[in-house]
Amino acid sequence: MPEQQEISLSILKKRWLKFKTLKRGYYSFVLLVILYILSWFLPLLVNNRALVLSYEDEMYFPIISGYYAGSEFGQDVPGETIYRELQATWESENSENWVIMPIYPYSPFEDITVAGNKMYDPPSNTHWLGTDNTGRDVFARLCYAFNISISFALVLTILNYIIGVIIGGSMGYFGGRFDLFFQRIIEIWSSLPMLFVIIIISSIIRPSFFLLIFIYTIVNWIGMTYLMRAEFYREKSKDYVAAALSMGQTNFKVMFKHILPNAMVPIITFFPFAIVGGISALVSLDYLGFGMPPPTPSWGQMLDVGLQNITKAWMVFAPISALFSTLIMVVFIGEAVREAFDPKVYSRLR
Amino acid sequence: MTTYFIRRILLMIPTFLGSTILIFVILQMAPGGPLERTIQQLQAGAMQQGESVGSVGDIMSGGSSVLPESALRELRRFYGFDKPVYQRYLIWLGVWPREIKHREVKFSGDVKEVSKNVGRGTYMTLRLEGEQVGVYDKAGITSDIWKGAIDKEASKDDNVVATIFQTEFSGILTGNLGTSYTYDQPVSEVMAPRFKVSMFFGLTGLFLSYIVCIPLGIRKALNHGSAFDFLSSVVVFAAYSIPGYALGMVLLVLLGGGSFWDIFPLGGFRSPTEIWETLSLWGKIKDQLWHMVLPIIAWSISSFAGLTILMKNSLLENISQDYIRTAFAKGLQEKRVIWVHAIRNSIIPIASGIGGVIGVVIAGSYLIEKVFNIDGFGKMGFQAILDRDYPITLGFLVIVVVIRLVSNILSDIALATVDPRIRFK
């Protein structure tokens, strides 16, 4: 079998190889992807329900099957079983029964109504980052909020991109009246202070995750539209477009099969920065109280509570460090991506 | 060139109308507006007081928890909700007559003429003329000042309810932003002091970040790839990754007397008025600076990263141009090449950014104002939305929109001024 020739590497592959050499960005990327994938399995890692439990030679899986009353396992508590205590009692009794808890056995919603939880508990071995104003575990909330923040930013960015490519692409490709009309709309849209508009809308309707994304998309599609318009406008005057059209390709095919792949550079290089924007937007909305409905774990809400209890430093530092380290990783990725895609090499003086 | 800018300025008009219509409609469609809120408050008040209703006067006649029809009508008229949305918008704009000093008149049964006191002992005669109401003064001449109209919704069969009112053109185009519901003051009076506070912060922050970022960017570009460049890049990345208000919180916890050091105050623009008045001039300056340090740092951090990188990249790009090589080739000093040839060209994108920054100065800082509890412009707008104080909300948004539109043009003018190669068409 003849060996593949080096020169036939596609441009994207070359860029990926370049990206891999930029250690700071590459490792941030790997770490962030691993963390995000892990965060989907958070119920297995950070939760107050037992993973597996064996009681009188029968196996139970509370994490899948959900609610079990405490009386079912011979625990004298009202309502749901407190598995941590169950584990402690059975271990001290050396009984046949056993419980396997998640690595971090606290849930983000478990507040002072559960026995043993205290308000404003400073960081300790049991609560790694302490507890908040209602006795909920800060670390557990931090982890769940990470998943929500990243998911929010990802869905938001992808939606914005789809709208941006369709509208911006059509504006650049068709031009004329259509372009002019949308230009005016964009001008009006971008003159509005959007965070305020979102606040007005959110104060009318209590947003859920997808409603919030919807509202934000309505407000936020402009950035990508602008980029795509310029990109399509430039590409459409090139020969390959004329060639495709002369061979009888439809406008739709020319736009999405021929031009779009050539307009990918801004899409990809802008992506990490759009994610940064999405995450910070959600945090600031949550901080103002117009984001996710409570008791959804969110960094913004934790910041708000933290600032009200300024003497309890962990409550401010925990969400800020989480926010900061996530954002800085994304920024590192963005910087590396930009460098990988940018053929310009700055020459030094002389 | 001039034609281009004139056209741009004229194009501001449709954009301005478009965005104000958008804001207006969103606000008016919102449930739980000022009218509903007032009705709720009045009803809640009536419920609490039971039979003994005194404070709200005639509006609460009867002491029941349901407002009487006439009071509702009066409220609706006060908030302007008796008109369709487009009329309300035009009135607010100031191109449709605004009806003021409403007085209600009832024609019951066959009575077609009623005399009504319009204040200061002046009586007007109202005559029902088919679908219209004529208003006549003592001499029997049609009044120029007072106009009459039938309130169709309120009228039933024989009982015709009419209102007489004066009209005037007053709206944002005539400089009247209305009266705030919550502050009970003209909107412009509520805004002026807060606007000054925000401007003060914004301009100081802007000035400081330019002073720091431009030299830093230049230094980074000249030492591209050095240890200094690397270290300052870390700082820049960190600054980019932390929102200004979050940094503000960290500073407050560390230095504002939270858990660690108690060096700076927890917030506020300056000391409370009682203390402020007693200070000497030097004391005032110290007090102001003392309050300003943390918010200014938090404020500047947002533009710090962007500006520094912009300056660095712009200078790097220029340095790799051929004209720099030419300058070196003809034997010029390195200092001269950089400071005279390269810097002048690299400053262009920074200069053109000034207009855009102004918009951010005004509206973008309310998160910081909230963290530091500064009674500024952004915080006022935010609070107005919460309170459903529509005159303030609208006034706030209009000012922000105008500032943005103007600053867009300003950046283009700045760009055209610093860079003679740029010609707009």
Side-chain angles (χ1 to χ4, degrees), chain A residues 300-317:
Chain A
Q301 179 267 339
M302 294 165 80
L303 283 179
D304 187 26
V305 176
L307 197 63
Q308 285 164 25
N309 300 286
I310 201 164
T311 47
K312 295 156 181 92
W314 70 91
M315 279 166 64
V316 175
F317 284 139

Side-chain angles (χ1 to χ4, degrees), chain B residues 149-383:
Chain B
I150 294 175
D151 193 333
K152 287 202 179 99
E153 270 177 47
S155 311
K156 278 178 214 124
D157 305 330
D158 291 347
N159 289 330
V160 177
V161 177
T163 49
I164 63 167
F165 48 82
Q166 295 183 358
T167 55
E168 62 172 16
F169 289 94
S170 76
I172 49 163
L173 294 184
T174 63
N176 176 11
L177 289 166
T179 307
S180 157
Y181 303 154
T182 42
Y183 298 88
D184 214 14
Q185 268 179 319
V187 171
S188 41
E189 271 176 38
V190 178
M191 281 182 172
R194 295 177 172 80
F195 192 75
K196 270 186 216 149
V197 169
S198 284
M199 277 296 269
F200 184 69
F201 272 104
L203 292 181
T204 320
L206 187 69
F207 182 68
L208 280 182
S209 45
Y210 270 71
I211 280 200
V212 174
C213 293
I214 293 178
L216 183 63
I218 293 173
R219 179 94 196 270
K220 275 169 72 67
L222 296 182
N223 301 320
H224 180 61
S226 69
F228 173 80
D229 183 34
F230 178 78
L231 283 177
S232 57
S233 283
V234 173
V235 178
V236 167
F237 278 122
Y240 187 81
S241 311
I242 188 159
Y245 65 96
L247 180 74
M249 290 180 193
V250 175
L251 291 174
L252 272 186
V253 173
L254 285 179
L255 305 169
S259 322
F260 301 93
W261 300 279
D262 187 3
I263 302 174
F264 292 105
L266 260 178
F269 178 55
R270 45 174 75 141
S271 292
T273 328
E274 310 93 74
I275 305 174
W276 177 257
E277 293 300 330
T278 62
L279 293 172
S280 62
L281 179 67
W282 175 236
K284 278 181 182 172
I285 294 173
K286 264 204 316 205
D287 182 75
Q288 186 71 75
L289 285 176
W290 186 54
H291 278 83
M292 264 172 58
V293 173
L294 297 186
I296 287 286
I297 294 176
W299 194 95
S300 317
I301 204 81
S302 55
S303 50
F304 169 76
L307 264 178
T308 310
I309 293 294
L310 188 65
M311 185 67 224
K312 182 195 170 187
N313 287 349
S314 162
L315 184 54
L316 271 180
E317 198 149 318
N318 272 300
I319 282 176
S320 58
Q321 298 281 321
D322 285 342
Y323 74 91
I324 294 293
R325 189 168 300 135
T326 315
F328 276 121
K330 71 180 181 185
L332 288 181
Q333 291 271 308
E334 184 177 319
K335 261 191 189 145
R336 193 175 161 77
V337 175
I338 290 167
W339 291 97
V340 178
H341 295 239
I343 298 269
R344 267 171 58 175
N345 275 313
S346 346
I347 223 91
I348 290 169
I350 303 246
S352 71
I354 283 188
V357 176
I358 294 174
V360 181
V361 167
I362 312 304
S365 56
Y366 70 106
L367 280 163
I368 291 172
E369 284 172 9
K370 185 173 189 272
V371 169
F372 288 98
N373 201 16
I374 295 163
D375 207 1
F377 195 58
K379 193 158 171 265
M380 176 204 69
F382 178 66
Q383 195 57 43

Side-chain angles (χ1 to χ4, degrees), chain B residues 134-153:
Chain B
V135 185
Y136 303 95
D137 61 9
K138 249 188 276 176
I141 303 163
T142 314
S143 165
D144 307 333
I145 316 168
W146 293 93
K147 291 193 173 61
I150 294 175
D151 193 333
K152 287 202 179 99
E153 270 177 47

Side-chain angles (χ1 to χ4, degrees), chain A residues 187 195 204 290 311 327 350, chain B residues 15 31 241 259 334 366 386 404:
Chain A
E187 202 174 310
L195 214 52
I204 300 166
F290 289 103
T311 47
L327 288 187
R350 281 178 285 187
Chain B
T15 314
S241 311
S259 322
E334 184 177 319
Y366 70 106
L386 292 186
R404 288 209 180 175

Side-chain angles (χ1 to χ4, degrees), chain A residues 53-83:
Chain A
L53 171 151
S54 160
Y55 181 63
E56 293 176 350
D57 290 337
E58 218 174 310
M59 302 279 266
Y60 296 86
F61 300 92
I63 200 138
I64 300 161
S65 41
Y67 181 87
Y68 284 106
S71 51
E72 270 183 70
F73 305 118
Q75 194 181 31
D76 186 24
V77 287
E80 194 174 355
T81 322
I82 302 168
Y83 296 99

Side-chain angles (χ1 to χ4, degrees), chain A residues 69 72 85 229 257 316:
Chain A
E72 270 183 70
E85 283 185 8
R229 176 180 172 270
K257 205 176 156 208
V316 175

